[in-house]
Amino acid sequence: MPSTKGITLVSTLVFTFIVIILVTISTLTSLSNRRNAQDALRTSQAQFAAEAGLERAVARLWHQVLASAASPSVSAYAAELNRMGLTNGATIASLFGEPQSLGDGSSFVVRVSRQDGTITNPDAVILTLTSTGTLADGSTRRLRQVFRVERAFFPFDYALLTNNAECIFCHLDVKSMDALRGPPTSDPSTWWRRAKVGVLESLIMRDNEEAGVVHGSLVTRGTITQQSSGRIGPSNRYRTTMNPGDTRIRSTTLISATPADCTIPSSCTIPQNLYYNYPDSNNLSAFGNRFPDGELPDSFPLPIPDTNNNRLIDDAEWNAEVSSSLAGTNQSYSAGSITAAMRINPSGSIAWPGGSSVLTQTSADLGQSPSNVILDGSVTPISLSGTVFINGDVVIRGRVRGNGTILARGNVYVMGDLTYDCGTGSTLAACDYSNPSRLPQLHLIAGGNTVVGDYMTIHSGSLTLLNMLSTNYNQPPISFCRANPTNTACALRRTPNLPLTEITNFNRRELRRYLSDNTYRPRFYTFGEDVVYFSPGCSHQPQQYKDYNTIAAGAKVSFCQGDRELSAIKLTENQVSSILARAVRYEVTSSTFNNAVLKNLWASSMNARGTGALRTDGLLYSANAIFGLAHRKYPMGGRWDLRGALVAADTGILVPGPGDGTAGLTIYHDDRLRPRLPGGQQAQAQLRRGVWEVVGQ
């Protein structure tokens, strides 16, 4: 039998050996952890130093440069970078010269390179910064970050924004969506946000007739002219509910506006209800380099940038927006989809799809090839998410759910009510408009024109509702009525309807601009033919078909103040050749959805609805014109209720109301509807810092 002492000795030795191994492992682990902790600490300290470099660069490259710039514009910011030696394509190896020491013994060096422009924003200034943090023992950490200085996204805080407004102020009422909660009382919680209307070039008002109400401020940079007399200034029947100095609407009591002329800066130091001569971005020094009451753009903001300034959406411009959206790199339009009853490139007998042909489509489906689309939400609501580009014309009606943008390259025709739906699944439900935060959001954008209502019917009070829904009384082109004066649709009034009248008025204005500046590229509207007509003389009212002018040698172009002629020019052969060579044309009618097709679609919508105002929810935004007409004899009774906003270069809209003195077009401004379009002029509003990344130890 083995000795117990030997066994005990062996066991003791084995145990001692195990203990030694464990102690050794523990010691080595502790040393490794300590070393790793020290390395991590040094890395963190070096990273903090590198981050300090990035923060110091913000102060140097943003705040200090902007403070030294001639103005707060992107171009002035870029010029100041040039002055300090950071030109486009250049690199500064050490922004601050010698390594910048920090209090703990660490330091940083910042390298900056500049490369301007992107596909969607060629004016952007892009700075790539590499900040290297270094400790006293030589440990380093290198971070890279991209700074983008761009024009601010255009602030869509206007219920109505336009270059030129004609007729729209007749029977207009503009207010915040707060009005749908009820009238303001003595309780401040019931006061409405003030609405804003912006006019960049010209506004024509009727002299002694109903001239609209804005529950807020009218901001103008161009002229306000009274139509008949030609007097400068608003109609004596234009009203507001905002007292100067107020920031909210406290009462619905109508008062006359108090003009504030911003050529005298002290006149515009408090909120006003009517601004004249509102400054542009190059004339803000007298206002502390800030707009007196929010930004009014220097020029009309386009939904798709016109990079070659030809006033058209070229293939390259369109494809760049669609491709970058699909790739997820478009700052303005995130990729999305639409599910709706739709017909794509229909032919033959064209009708609303109703509840059939429900499809889900994206910009890849509708934006990359010619696509003329009918969207019908009358049975199944249109479901929208993100942005869907449509490379053609769009006809739309019905209910809408979701949050997104429909951007048509061509024209948009709203041929019936277009409202939000707050149901789920197959259950339809009306929305609570007193709580806008829970409403869907629709941005309906046209690269061409937007047309709402029955712009097709001739303008004649003698027509019955049945006749007005018949294609027999559609408005023919001017050339047709000149050649066929006894035709039924031409002979009733012998003058064109309001949309065609507005087209000829806008064309006259474009001719005047060209004749004042022969570098200007005029934009003309046509109606059902390839002939450009413009209004004779200075009248803004419909004229006899035979009196309208075409662009030809000897044609007289009047320069006007309201309906009063100031001077006139007769076109020469050289001027005609130059005008026609430079001009672009936008056709209001559609080759796919001609006026007969649209009238039948409109009649179908009208026959299926009850009485009440035409309803439209969302932002209506046209790169060119918005034309609208709501006859009194329809079930809508000459009324249009728009809950959103209206933005267009030209607005030719007549909604006369029921004739009892109440408003025709009521705009309830939904200030949530703000597409992210690069259109602002304030550089400091748009420093965008990318997420920094580690690029080296």
Side-chain angles (χ1 to χ4, degrees):
M1 182 175 183
S3 170
T4 57
K5 292 182 179 180
I7 294 174
T8 301
L9 179 60
V10 171
S11 298
T12 301
L13 291 174
V14 170
F15 176 76
T16 301
F17 182 71
I18 292 173
V19 170
I20 292 172
I21 291 174
L22 293 174
V23 170
T24 301
I25 291 173
S26 177
T27 301
L28 293 174
T29 300
S30 177
L31 291 173
S32 176
N33 288 343
R34 182 177 180 183
R35 185 165 54 250
N36 289 341
Q38 290 174 338
D39 290 344
L41 178 60
R42 286 195 298 272
T43 298
S44 296
Q45 289 173 328
Q47 179 167 308
F48 291 150
E51 290 182 31
L54 294 177
E55 295 305 317
R56 186 78 61 84
V58 172
R60 177 69 186 94
L61 293 173
W62 180 240
H63 299 292
Q64 293 179 20
V65 172
L66 194 64
S68 301
S71 74
S73 67
V74 175
S75 59
Y77 175 86
E80 184 62 20
L81 288 181
N82 294 341
R83 193 191 63 78
M84 61 178 279
L86 187 55
T87 57
N88 186 23
T91 296
I92 296 178
S94 181
L95 179 63
F96 303 103
E98 296 296 324
Q100 300 294 293
S101 297
L102 300 172
D104 60 356
S106 62
S107 63
F108 61 79
V109 172
V110 178
R111 172 189 174 93
V112 56
S113 299
R114 175 180 167 188
Q115 186 64 55
D116 293 353
T118 66
I119 292 176
T120 58
N121 192 351
D123 297 327
V125 175
I126 302 174
L127 305 176
T128 301
L129 287 76
T130 302
S131 180
T132 303
T134 305
L135 303 184
D137 65 0
S139 300
T140 62
R141 186 74 154 180
R142 187 174 296 114
L143 305 178
R144 182 169 60 204
Q145 190 173 45
V146 176
F147 290 2
R148 300 167 66 98
V149 180
E150 302 171 309
R151 283 190 170 191
F153 290 111
F154 174 70
F156 272 87
D157 56 354
Y158 289 89
L160 167 62
L161 177 70
T162 186
N163 277 342
N164 304 298
E166 290 202 7
C167 211
I168 186 173
F169 266 75
C170 306
H171 316 287
L172 175 68
D173 191 9
V174 182
K175 59 190 75 174
S176 164
M177 288 274 281
D178 294 342
L180 296 172
R181 298 198 311 257
T185 68
S186 58
D187 181 357
S189 66
T190 66
W191 295 351
W192 301 348
R193 282 164 292 190
R194 58 195 176 108
K196 291 173 67 176
V197 172
V199 178
L200 299 176
E201 295 180 8
S202 69
L203 168 60
I204 302 292
M205 283 187 172
R206 300 285 178 89
D207 294 48
N208 298 306
E209 300 179 34
E210 165 62 37
V213 178
V214 175
H215 299 265
S217 54
L218 173 57
V219 185
T220 67
R221 186 175 294 128
T223 58
I224 303 178
T225 308
Q226 296 179 41
Q227 182 174 316
S228 298
S229 65
R231 287 190 296 267
I232 301 299
S235 164
N236 58 8
R237 295 190 62 184
Y238 170 68
R239 297 289 184 266
T240 182
T241 56
M242 175 186 163
N243 291 298
D246 286 351
T247 57
R248 294 226 167 202
I249 304 303
R250 307 183 182 196
S251 168
T252 55
T253 300
L254 300 181
I255 61 175
S256 298
T258 306
D261 186 350
C262 291
T263 58
I264 306 171
S266 60
S267 300
C268 298
T269 56
I270 64 171
Q272 301 288 348
N273 55 31
L274 174 57
Y275 293 91
Y276 286 150
N277 300 308
Y278 201 74
D280 61 23
S281 63
N282 297 313
N283 295 282
L284 296 179
S285 58
F287 304 92
N289 284 331
R290 300 172 67 92
F291 286 96
D293 192 14
E295 182 178 348
L296 183 69
D298 290 355
S299 59
F300 184 79
L302 295 173
I304 291 180
D306 182 15
T307 55
N308 60 6
N309 296 313
N310 70 348
R311 306 193 77 175
L312 294 168
I313 301 176
D314 297 320
D315 288 343
E317 294 162 348
W318 175 261
N319 291 334
E321 291 290 329
V322 175
S323 298
S324 60
S325 176
L326 291 171
T329 59
N330 193 308
Q331 300 173 52
S332 301
Y333 303 113
S334 61
S337 64
I338 184 170
T339 299
M342 67 178 75
R343 301 194 194 283
I344 304 170
N345 294 324
S347 60
S349 178
I350 299 176
W352 293 110
S356 63
S357 304
V358 176
L359 303 172
T360 297
Q361 301 280 278
T362 69
S363 298
D365 305 313
L366 301 175
Q368 295 181 319
S369 300
S371 301
N372 297 296
V373 182
I374 297 180
L375 299 172
D376 187 0
S378 61
V379 177
T380 302
I382 299 165
S383 180
L384 185 64
S385 174
T387 300
V388 176
F389 290 84
I390 300 178
N391 191 2
D393 296 334
V394 171
V395 180
I396 188 170
R397 74 169 184 181
R399 296 171 178 251
V400 179
R401 293 176 182 171
N403 183 345
T405 299
I406 299 172
L407 202 166
R409 187 176 183 180
N411 295 338
V412 170
Y413 301 93
V414 182
M415 292 291 106
D417 297 306
L418 183 64
T419 60
Y420 293 145
D421 183 81
C422 290
T424 58
S426 59
T427 302
L428 305 179
C431 295
D432 178 7
Y433 289 85
S434 67
N435 187 3
S437 64
R438 297 185 178 181
L439 295 175
Q441 296 183 46
L442 170 64
H443 305 87
L444 188 57
I445 304 178
N449 303 298
T450 297
V451 180
V452 182
D454 182 11
Y455 80 101
M456 296 82 67
T457 299
I458 61 174
H459 185 57
S460 175
S462 63
L463 292 181
T464 66
L465 176 58
L466 180 62
N467 287 337
M468 295 180 80
L469 293 177
S470 166
T471 59
N472 292 331
Y473 294 93
N474 274 0
Q475 173 66 60
I478 291 179
S479 293
F480 177 87
C481 286
R482 282 180 146 186
N484 302 275
T486 60
N487 178 272
T488 300
C490 301
L492 277 178
R493 281 283 297 266
R494 298 188 179 88
T495 61
N497 68 1
L498 179 118
L500 187 46
T501 300
E502 293 301 313
I503 286 169
T504 58
N505 289 345
F506 292 144
N507 289 346
R508 177 176 59 192
R509 179 183 293 112
E510 288 292 288
L511 279 172
R512 290 199 300 251
R513 289 194 62 173
Y514 171 82
L515 292 172
S516 299
D517 175 10
N518 60 17
T519 66
Y520 180 72
R521 185 183 297 276
R523 170 190 55 208
F524 296 128
Y525 300 109
T526 56
F527 187 96
E529 58 183 328
D530 193 32
V531 179
V532 176
Y533 282 95
F534 65 95
S535 300
C538 288
S539 175
H540 291 76
Q541 297 297 105
Q543 304 297 302
Q544 298 274 319
Y545 289 112
K546 63 182 179 59
D547 293 332
Y548 282 93
N549 296 324
T550 61
I551 300 174
K556 175 184 170 183
V557 181
S558 297
F559 288 77
C560 312
Q561 189 170 305
D563 285 351
R564 186 161 61 90
E565 184 175 276
L566 302 178
S567 62
I569 294 176
K570 288 189 176 181
L571 297 177
T572 66
E573 289 282 2
N574 288 339
Q575 287 173 328
V576 169
S577 297
S578 178
I579 290 167
L580 295 179
R582 292 185 60 79
V584 297
R585 305 183 188 190
Y586 281 91
E587 172 58 56
V588 177
T589 61
S590 170
S591 58
T592 299
F593 307 111
N594 60 43
N595 288 348
V597 169
L598 290 175
K599 175 53 71 67
N600 289 331
L601 294 175
W602 173 256
S604 176
S605 295
M606 291 301 100
N607 288 327
R609 80 190 300 274
T611 59
L614 179 69
R615 278 284 314 281
T616 308
D617 292 345
L619 168 69
L620 297 181
Y621 179 13
S622 172
N624 298 288
I626 290 183
F627 298 103
L629 186 60
H631 291 282
R632 284 177 177 164
K633 288 188 177 179
Y634 279 128
M636 66 195 70
R639 297 175 58 218
W640 178 16
D641 180 336
L642 171 61
R643 302 182 183 187
L646 193 155
V647 177
D650 298 316
T651 49
I653 295 172
L654 175 60
V655 187
D660 58 2
T662 57
L665 171 57
T666 302
I667 301 177
Y668 297 93
H669 183 215
D670 184 350
D671 61 4
R672 303 172 307 146
L673 301 172
R674 297 188 177 190
R676 291 169 55 85
L677 299 184
Q681 290 103 205
Q682 298 282 353
Q684 71 265 29
Q686 192 60 30
L687 170 66
R688 300 178 65 242
R689 298 175 62 180
V691 177
W692 56 255
E693 56 181 338
V694 178
V695 293
Q697 292 292 108

